[in-house]
Amino acid sequence: MTPLLSGMLLGLAAAVGLLLVLSHAPPLRPIRLHDRLAPYLVDAPQVSRLLRSPERTGSLGLAHALLRPVLGDAVRVLDRFVGGRSSVKRRLDGLGGRLSVEEFRIEQVVWGALGLGGGAVLGVLFAGLTGTVNPLSLVLFSIGGLTAGVVGRDWWLSQQLARRESTMLAEFPVVAELLALAVTAGEGPVGAIDRVCRLTGGELGRELASTLATARSGVSLVDALQALADRTSLEVLSRFVDGIVVATERGTPLADVLRAQAADVREAGKRRLLEAGGRKEIAMMVPVVFLVLPVTVLFALYPGLVSIVRLAQ
């Protein structure tokens, strides 16, 4: 590393540190609503630990508690520039509410910081390979890494939701058959869902258990099931909820509806397998056409081409 580049990095680190110190100094630090209300809430009774909901730490574990006060301003800036809060909220609800939007933004900030550091390292390596120090390329590498980190966390959230919904779709026929069997045996909708939740343990079983807990807390079963359908984008679950609602309100046979839905999901799964097989078959043609066929033609024509060249000589 050249002395010029070392001096630039040290100066940048000193400037960032000085900016952080000045921005969080008491004269310049903005007064938050929490700071204004804290003196009036000191004597408020504390809630018992037995009644507190467990704190969610997310995939970063202890880093959430450590980084939350420091990265508060960065989270607000990121939320202002990136936007899409409703889309993030919908996808987080589809994952079971394991994270809040603020916790997800903190993870995005951390991923962006890691991407920024990785981009800066790549910029330094590029400068070492070329032998010239270009501050513009270092800045571009850093900005590219920062953008890749922020966008990559959002992409990973979409991938997590897609995998979870595909797992729920694969579990649905078995769950529907078990519900139909329980209803046929004389169980009501609530009892059948309770029995299936105790027998199964997949993603769909956990969603049904959460829905049942919501229904037992005072919400009607129809509203709890409708909230389940709203949390996911699976059309199968929407039809499942509609079938249970219609059967509960109008008294139609629920077992036949569940069996029909399970058969429809199995047929849809077969069609998806056939479509995936067709796409794989087309993908298999690429090495055959571009690799095997040219080599075969070369082996077939090369002896004749050599003979023609010898005769011409």
Side-chain angles (χ1 to χ4, degrees), residues 44 59 68 85 101 115 125 127 132 140 148 164 167 179 208 210 213 240:
S59 60
R68 187 188 299 272
R85 192 180 184 87
V101 179
L125 293 177
T132 58
L140 291 178
R164 187 171 189 265
T167 303
L179 283 173
L208 289 176
S210 175
F240 166 73

Side-chain angles (χ1 to χ4, degrees), residues 9-297:
L9 293 177
L10 291 176
L12 179 62
V16 170
L18 182 60
L19 182 62
L20 288 175
V21 170
L22 293 177
S23 62
H24 289 79
L28 299 178
R29 184 174 56 198
I31 301 177
R32 299 173 298 177
L33 180 62
H34 176 269
D35 299 330
R36 294 180 179 179
L37 296 179
Y40 303 97
L41 300 177
V42 174
D43 298 331
Q46 297 293 329
V47 181
S48 173
R49 293 183 180 180
L50 297 176
L51 300 178
R52 294 177 185 174
S53 59
E55 296 183 357
R56 296 170 296 184
T57 57
S59 60
L60 293 179
L62 188 60
H64 275 290
L66 295 177
L67 297 176
R68 187 188 299 272
V70 179
L71 299 179
D73 296 335
V75 168
R76 286 190 290 270
V77 171
L78 179 64
D79 200 8
R80 186 183 304 122
F81 280 97
V82 175
R85 192 180 184 87
S86 59
S87 174
V88 172
K89 182 70 168 58
R90 178 185 59 80
R91 286 178 289 172
L92 290 175
D93 290 340
L95 285 176
R98 301 168 188 172
L99 288 176
S100 64
V101 179
E102 288 74 16
E103 291 169 341
F104 175 75
R105 293 302 189 196
I106 289 177
E107 291 192 0
Q108 272 192 309
V109 170
V110 173
W111 280 48
L114 294 177
L116 178 65
V121 171
L122 289 178
V124 171
L125 293 177
F126 179 76
L129 291 176
T130 56
T132 58
V133 179
N134 189 357
L136 180 60
S137 63
L138 183 61
V139 171
L140 291 178
F141 273 110
S142 302
I143 294 176
L146 174 64
T147 307
V150 173
V151 176
R153 182 63 185 95
D154 190 85
W155 172 83
W156 182 247
L157 176 63
S158 301
Q159 294 299 312
Q160 286 178 312
L161 180 60
R163 284 198 300 269
R164 187 171 189 265
E165 289 187 346
S166 64
T167 303
M168 294 171 62
L169 188 61
E171 295 171 355
F172 180 79
V174 178
V175 173
E177 291 286 353
L178 289 175
L179 283 173
L181 184 61
V183 171
T184 305
E187 294 273 5
V190 176
I193 294 175
D194 186 17
R195 184 176 297 274
V196 170
C197 291
R198 284 188 279 108
L199 293 176
T200 59
E203 295 289 344
L204 185 56
R206 283 192 285 270
E207 281 290 340
L208 289 176
S210 175
T211 302
L212 188 61
T214 304
R216 287 174 172 172
S217 65
V219 182
S220 64
L221 180 61
V222 174
D223 294 338
L225 290 173
Q226 192 61 48
L228 170 63
D230 294 338
R231 285 197 302 269
T232 61
S233 59
L234 294 176
E235 185 180 356
V236 175
L237 280 181
S238 299
R239 292 201 302 267
F240 166 73
V241 170
D242 293 338
I244 293 182
V245 169
V246 171
T248 303
E249 293 179 349
R250 302 181 182 179
T252 56
L254 181 59
D256 297 337
V257 174
L258 293 176
R259 289 194 185 95
Q261 289 182 353
D264 292 341
V265 172
R266 286 195 175 95
E267 291 296 329
K270 292 178 182 178
R271 289 195 298 269
R272 284 194 301 272
L273 286 178
L274 291 176
E275 292 174 359
R279 289 193 295 268
K280 296 296 182 181
E281 184 178 359
I282 295 175
M284 288 171 60
M285 294 296 294
V286 174
V288 173
V289 173
F290 293 101
L291 296 178
V292 178
L293 185 60
V295 174
T296 305
V297 172

